Amino acid sequence: MRILHVAAEAHPLIKTGGLADVLGSLPAAQHALGHRVSVLLPGYRAVMAAAGTLEPGPTLNPPGGPSIQLLRGELSAGVELLVLDQADYFDRPGGPYGDEQGNDWPDNHLRFALLGRAGAGLCLQDPAIDVLNAHDWHAGLAPAYLEAWGVDCASCFTIHNLAYQGRFAAVQYPDTDLPGEFYRYDGLEYHGDWSFMKAGLSYSDAITTVSPSYAREILQPQAGMGLHALLNYRRRDFVGILNGVDYRVWDPSRDAVLESNYSTKSLQAKQANKKYLQQSLRMEPASDRLLVGVVSRLTTHKGLDLVPAAIEDLLASGRMQLSLLGSGDAALEASFKQLASRYSQNCAVVIGYDEIEAHRIFGGADAILIPSRFEPCGLTQMYGLRYGSLPVVRKTGGLADTVIGYKAGNPDSANGLVFNTASVTALRRVLNRAVKLYTDRDLWKGLMRNAMRADFGWDKSARAYLDLYARLIAR
Ligand code: ADP
């Protein structure tokens, strides 16, 4: 098959979250299974700097608009990279979606409409492309352009997070050059505005999301973010496929960033990473104290607002340590910084985005905390599993699909701790359980081995996407 992925992020070129990890690894897994795979990305300043040598790629001439120039390179061995060469939209300081202060770019609807036009334009110009897989709202207009231009190419839209919908005002709609009749309630109109996400959901042949549990959850009004009715309407074309992990990047036995590499056969060697983390963060180097790591965007949807109140006693009494790396919500950043200044022996907070530090936390922590209110898939619990840093998670979305909570009676299968309610009390309770469990070294080591043996590699999920594409092409 010839597969075109269209997305706003892909590791290692540009990353703000799990979307990038998926685009860095799913295409490579599909290529390894014998398919020809391309990834189309906006040419942000960071992408241009990181992509290496780029050659001139196709010039597209989509209907009703100026031509679009693409550049061509390689994302990873065998995976073609196509980059939108549009400096006035993408050669800017700041992030992919906003300026250095975090304000959205005012022309985001134009920037990402161009991404959709380019994706659909490629399929129009090259009929050998069998399927276009658009990811998240940024690529949501690609299936709409395919429909508008009558392009005979199968399309799949993947929801990585339904909370971000790319919603814009009615006056901005004519800028897309999409047909006026698409602006209706069963098209992309959305409560008087219009939405990229809704376009993707309405005009793609199939819809996927990133875990089976999240797929079930977003059919319900409580989690469906206003789009559950549309998802129910499209239920026969909608499926949850669990994300995978790129074990080329996330493997404690080979991770070059770690102080000491380790595997299930050398668990003791993990201790050196804990010590390094504690020392580098100026925490007390206590080997017998449960060190909990957090690597996350700081938002309330991740449940991190519950953490300070839930862990304060544990930090104050020296029964637990916390190493947090993240950035986002200013109030959350401030409350974690305050916690770190009060309990510096047991709490270290790094505000920012740092891939290397993230690897060190997965390597050095005993547990990884993810108390999300909702979590489409989540990757950090799977990194925690592979690094033997037991995930402590709320039972939701992909967290529920990947972590088996310890209960007396399942030491041979459990690989973490799971709690149900998003409350300070429930979080405090599960953390106290973790602290207690950690004192039983043999039991804890058994759970670490279970965790490290869990296999969430891409192979199975990449095949699930391919099976779905094959069904769409055969229709
Ligand atoms: P989301 O996409 O909702 O942010 P995921 O768990 O799916 O959550 O993916 C998050 C990805 O971003 C993981 O690879 C995680 O390690 C990484 N990450 C999150 N915050 C940071 C940070 N501050 N520094 C480095 N990596 C981070």
Side-chain angles (χ1 to χ4, degrees):
M1 265 182 266
R2 271 198 63 188
I3 302 159
L4 173 66
H5 290 278
V6 183
E9 301 183 24
H11 180 79
L13 302 180
I14 180 84
K15 170 168 166 178
T16 70
L19 172 68
D21 289 335
V22 173
L23 270 296
S25 48
L26 169 63
Q30 292 175 332
H31 169 71
L33 291 168
H35 301 276
R36 227 179 118 185
V37 191
S38 307
V39 176
L40 173 66
L41 285 182
Y44 313 112
R45 188 174 288 181
V47 166
M48 294 303 207
T53 315
L54 294 172
E55 292 166 0
T59 304
L60 309 175
N61 295 295
S67 63
I68 301 171
Q69 182 60 50
L70 302 183
L71 301 171
R72 179 183 278 134
E74 200 175 52
L75 182 61
S76 59
V79 176
E80 184 184 57
L81 170 69
L82 294 166
V83 174
L84 253 176
D85 186 17
Q86 185 85 23
D88 52 336
Y89 280 174
F90 299 117
D91 183 16
R92 300 176 183 180
Y97 316 117
D99 63 19
E100 285 158 312
Q101 283 69 48
N103 306 306
D104 284 350
W105 297 115
D107 57 354
N108 269 346
H109 71 295
L110 296 172
R111 299 169 77 232
F112 293 107
L114 186 71
L115 180 66
R117 282 174 74 83
L122 265 164
C123 300
L124 178 65
Q125 208 151 305
D126 185 354
I129 298 174
D130 295 295
V131 59
L132 179 152
N133 195 157
H135 297 265
D136 258 355
W137 76 261
H138 327 97
L141 294 196
Y145 285 112
L146 289 179
E147 173 81 12
W149 302 337
V151 184
D152 183 20
C153 176
S155 62
C156 172
F157 180 72
T158 300
I159 304 165
H160 294 257
N161 192 336
L162 196 60
Y164 303 100
Q165 301 184 348
R167 183 169 168 172
F168 296 93
V171 291
Q172 294 167 306
Y173 182 68
D175 294 339
T176 63
D177 269 334
L178 281 165
E181 68 261 26
F182 281 19
Y183 198 89
R184 53 172 201 252
Y185 80 97
D186 58 346
L188 47 68
E189 187 275 339
Y190 192 55
H191 301 292
D193 295 331
W194 58 289
S195 151
F196 276 60
M197 174 71 80
K198 195 173 169 195
L201 299 180
S202 297
Y203 293 107
S204 54
D205 297 325
I207 302 164
T208 68
T209 190
V210 289
S211 72
S213 285
Y214 190 61
R216 281 190 296 277
E217 288 166 10
I218 59 181
L219 290 170
Q220 308 302 321
Q222 303 89 311
M225 304 271 173
L227 291 166
H228 61 282
L230 174 53
L231 286 166
N232 275 286
Y233 175 71
R234 298 229 45 203
R235 202 171 182 151
R236 282 191 314 152
D237 303 314
F238 174 44
V239 65
I241 301 174
L242 193 71
N243 279 342
V245 173
D246 189 343
Y247 290 128
R248 298 169 305 176
V249 179
W250 299 99
D251 175 1
S253 71
R254 290 185 300 173
D255 192 329
V257 159
L258 297 188
E259 196 61 10
S260 164
N261 290 116
Y262 59 96
S263 68
T264 48
K265 295 195 186 70
S266 55
L267 290 183
Q268 199 51 35
K270 184 169 164 59
Q271 277 299 325
N273 299 307
K274 178 169 178 176
K275 194 166 170 196
Y276 178 87
L277 192 64
Q278 289 167 322
Q279 285 176 340
S280 66
L281 294 169
R282 299 197 167 77
M283 289 194 284
E284 209 172 305
S287 61
D288 55 353
R289 200 168 299 167
L290 180 77
L291 173 52
V292 174
V294 173
V295 177
S296 184
R297 291 185 294 117
L298 300 182
T299 71
T300 50
H301 107 61
K302 297 279 184 188
L304 293 168
D305 52 307
L306 305 171
V307 172
I311 62 167
E312 181 144 15
D313 286 352
L314 288 164
L315 297 179
S317 62
R319 283 179 295 152
M320 199 188 100
Q321 293 183 320
L322 176 74
S323 163
L324 177 140
L325 167 65
S327 61
D329 185 288
L332 278 174
E333 288 183 1
S335 76
F336 280 110
K337 277 197 274 193
Q338 206 178 37
L339 205 63
S341 70
R342 229 177 295 148
Y343 306 106
S344 59
Q345 296 284 305
N346 290 320
C347 180
V349 168
V350 177
I351 300 298
Y353 186 91
D354 185 339
E355 288 271 333
I356 290 176
E357 188 66 11
H359 280 249
R360 292 205 169 117
I361 291 177
F362 290 112
D366 299 303
I368 293 294
L369 176 62
I370 312 158
S372 304
R373 292 198 163 77
F374 68 90
E375 192 61 71
C377 178
L379 292 167
T380 56
Q381 83 280 13
M382 297 199 260
Y383 302 156
L385 287 171
R386 185 45 59 112
Y387 281 67
S389 314
L390 300 189
V392 178
V393 305
R394 192 171 158 258
K395 188 172 182 173
T396 180
L399 301 174
D401 292 340
T402 50
V403 182
I404 304 169
Y406 174 74
K407 312 179 194 112
N410 70 349
D412 296 332
S413 58
N415 57 22
L417 283 106
V418 176
F419 67 105
N420 286 310
T421 313
S423 71
V424 170
T425 310
L427 184 54
R428 191 181 288 133
R429 200 178 301 134
V430 76
L431 288 171
N432 273 293
R433 278 186 64 213
V435 166
K436 189 147 173 267
L437 205 62
Y438 187 63
T439 61
D440 186 339
R441 298 302 299 150
D442 289 338
L443 176 59
W444 189 273
K445 279 189 182 156
L447 301 184
M448 283 172 77
R449 283 192 200 94
N450 296 344
M452 293 171 79
R453 285 190 190 123
D455 182 3
F456 291 108
W458 263 109
D459 192 66
K460 194 170 148 211
S461 299
R463 286 179 201 276
Y465 275 95
L466 294 170
D467 290 347
L468 172 67
Y469 301 160
R471 287 198 298 277
L472 298 179
I473 293 165
R475 264 188 201 173

